[in-house]
Amino acid sequence: MKEVKIESVLQVYDNLDELPNDIAELMKKAFDARQKSYSPYSNFSVGAALLLNNGKIITGSNQENASYPSGLCAERTAIYYAGSQYPDAKVLKMAITAGSKLKTTVTPIPPCGACRQAIAEYEVKQNAPIEIYFMGETGRVVKSDSLANLLPLVFDKSVL
Ligand code: THU
């Protein structure tokens, strides 16, 4: 038996003002998208914005459903739209902002496990890392250089 240590290195920005301009712009698009969230059940709204290598910015928000599991997270709404509209484009960066409508969310909100798996599919497909930036409504912004950093031991097509 031997132990294996898995490490992830993340960068943490104190607030939006510390972000490079292009990322602050992308995060602003995520904020705009969040306004379009349909989340009457959880009252938790999420916005995501993707920058593609063809220059397009694709946004998405969480879309809920009376049949709860039929709803979809913001990140997957955005990345599936990107994949269906621009199948040959690479996703370079993703910005995510999230928060409750009932209280102010100051902690960075990372993508859920299902979204990490979905984003991983595209990272593997395009063979290039996707930078992920995530935050609450205000406060710190966390950056991951790749999705792989957020989902060690990924299950992907290489085993099929
Ligand atoms: N949600 C997202 O949109 N992205 C995540 O990564 C986590 C959760 C949504 C799903 C649901 O509409 C609400 O947030 C509460 O879970």
Side-chain angles (χ1 to χ4, degrees), residues 37-48 60-65 68 71-77 96-99 109-116 119:
S37 159
Y38 176 63
S39 40
Y41 304 107
S42 71
N43 284 310
F44 192 80
S45 57
V46 186
S61 57
N62 55 329
Q63 300 293 314
E64 297 187 346
N65 193 284
Y68 294 178
L72 195 65
C73 292
E75 297 90 327
R76 276 177 286 164
T77 302
I96 305 160
T97 174
I109 307 294
C112 75
C115 287
R116 291 181 207 194
I119 300 165

Side-chain angles (χ1 to χ4, degrees), residues 2-20:
K2 63 176 179 181
E3 278 185 346
V4 177
K5 188 173 178 184
I6 300 173
E7 277 186 339
S8 289
V9 177
L10 303 170
Q11 286 82 44
V12 182
Y13 297 86
D14 277 344
N15 53 54
L16 278 173
D17 297 336
E18 267 197 8
L19 288 175

Side-chain angles (χ1 to χ4, degrees), residues 51-160:
L51 173 66
L52 308 186
N53 69 339
N54 61 12
K56 301 273 182 203
I57 290 180
I58 304 298
T59 63
S61 57
N62 55 329
Q63 300 293 314
E64 297 187 346
N65 193 284
S67 172
Y68 294 178
S70 299
L72 195 65
C73 292
E75 297 90 327
R76 276 177 286 164
T77 302
I79 207 160
Y80 288 153
Y81 183 87
S84 54
Q85 292 299 308
Y86 304 103
D88 299 324
K90 292 186 180 186
V91 181
L92 301 179
K93 299 166 199 281
M94 175 181 275
I96 305 160
T97 174
S100 170
K101 292 175 205 160
L102 311 176
K103 60 178 185 188
T104 306
T105 304
V106 297
T107 52
I109 307 294
C112 75
C115 287
R116 291 181 207 194
Q117 181 68 30
I119 300 165
E121 183 70 27
Y122 291 88
E123 193 166 89
V124 170
K125 174 187 166 215
Q126 69 186 30
N127 194 26
I130 300 174
E131 277 178 27
I132 319 252
Y133 297 81
F134 56 89
M135 66 181 296
E137 289 170 274
T138 183
R140 284 171 290 136
V141 182
V142 176
K143 174 191 177 190
S144 175
D145 287 335
S146 74
L147 188 281
N149 222 5
L150 297 178
L151 188 63
L153 306 180
V154 68
F155 176 86
D156 67 20
K157 64 182 180 178
S158 64
V159 299
L160 299 179

